[in-house]
Amino acid sequence: MFTDQTYRPVLEIASSKEMNKGEKHTRMTCFPMSDSTVSISGYSKHPEFYTHTVTFLVEDCLFRIAKEPLEAESTVFRDMFLLPQGDTETVEGQSDTSPVILRGVSKEDFESLLRALMYRQHGENRGPDLNHDQWLSVLKLSTMWDFRGLRNAAIQHLGTPSLPLDPIDKMELALQYDIRVWLVPALLALAQRSAPISVEEGRRIGFENALKLASVREKLKLQTVVETTEFAYKSMLRTHEYETRRLVLGDRDSEAEKFDYTPFIRQVFDL
């Protein structure tokens, strides 16, 4: 019979020996609040399975997440968490009333980063279902906060051959986030295309880069030239002439779109 004393339910996991046949292996038991209160100081914290959380404020939204993935994958957050702690009641990140404020970061960008991070920490071994814009958010924040694994994953997803980026988009991202492996393919595609670099495109990739690219592509053409080679045959020196084509200065030839500009790109851009 219940009294006025306050009770609280406690979920117990019982062994199979304790349960009657056909019963579930969990049961709910009610204990008086006074009897079920335990002293926290009397228990140790498991070194692996005791999760420490941190609270962030991004725009107008609070996020409370485990600290461990942030510490494991980001040198920026690892160093931040190692900073000396003050009074535990006022330590930033330990409560909703005193969160770590992430200024200059959008809620959508932070959500995308956390989705990618948590998929890598938990669940099935597959990539998160992020769209193109969300992967751009992951690339942005992973570069900012030095999540090297997430940055590599974002570069891999954004650079997939099945969904190729526009060359201008690819070069702009490569310059902004220091993705050197994207520069030569993007520049090669821009050098080979028939359309010249527009003013808007020059603004996006930088006018100095646009001028360098123009020096590679706009005044080059394929020219047919006669090459001569000599060889000895039956004690006689013979000369053989043949036609070949080379890239020379001049008005751009339509067939120059098929030319491999890679050596010129590497030379002009010092890649």
Side-chain angles (χ1 to χ4, degrees), residues 250-265:
D251 294 331
R252 181 178 175 85
D253 192 291
S254 60
E255 294 190 32
E257 297 174 18
K258 305 173 184 178
F259 191 80
D260 185 2
Y261 293 85
T262 302
F264 299 94
I265 290 171

Side-chain angles (χ1 to χ4, degrees), residues 188-225:
L188 178 59
L190 292 172
Q192 289 177 329
R193 79 178 195 184
S194 58
I197 303 300
S198 68
V199 174
E200 173 60 21
E201 290 173 334
R203 183 191 64 78
R204 291 176 59 189
I205 66 174
F207 287 109
E208 181 178 349
N209 290 320
L211 290 172
K212 288 181 178 180
L213 185 59
S215 72
V216 171
R217 54 159 283 145
E218 300 302 339
K219 286 297 181 180
L220 296 175
K221 69 175 183 178
L222 287 170
Q223 183 181 71
T224 301
V225 295

